[in-house]
Amino acid sequence: MATKITKKKPLSVNLRSKACNATKSKQKPNLQKKTIDGKKVIISSREARTLSK
């Protein structure tokens, strides 16, 4: 089982049509499973890119 170490949560957004109708939606973060020091963790892709530097 991978442990989740990121604090990112989904964003609440409105999808707008041409008639300016608002429909609620969620934008989920880009979470990836990575192995760091032999442990499986769930981190965002931005954090994974920062760790590789």
Side-chain angles (χ1 to χ4, degrees):
M1 180 79 187
T3 59
K4 188 174 178 182
I5 61 172
T6 186
K7 300 284 184 188
K8 290 188 176 266
K9 295 180 181 178
L11 291 174
S12 295
V13 295
N14 282 330
L15 301 176
R16 293 283 179 170
S17 66
K18 288 187 176 181
C20 207
N21 298 332
T23 304
K24 294 214 179 238
S25 178
K26 297 244 183 211
Q27 286 183 346
K28 296 180 182 176
N30 188 5
L31 298 179
Q32 306 291 326
K33 291 180 184 175
K34 296 276 281 185
T35 303
I36 300 174
D37 298 330
K39 295 180 183 177
K40 290 184 180 179
V41 294
I42 299 174
I43 57 176
S44 66
S45 61
R46 179 175 293 219
E47 292 168 344
R49 200 170 55 207
T50 303
L51 284 174
S52 66
K53 285 184 180 179

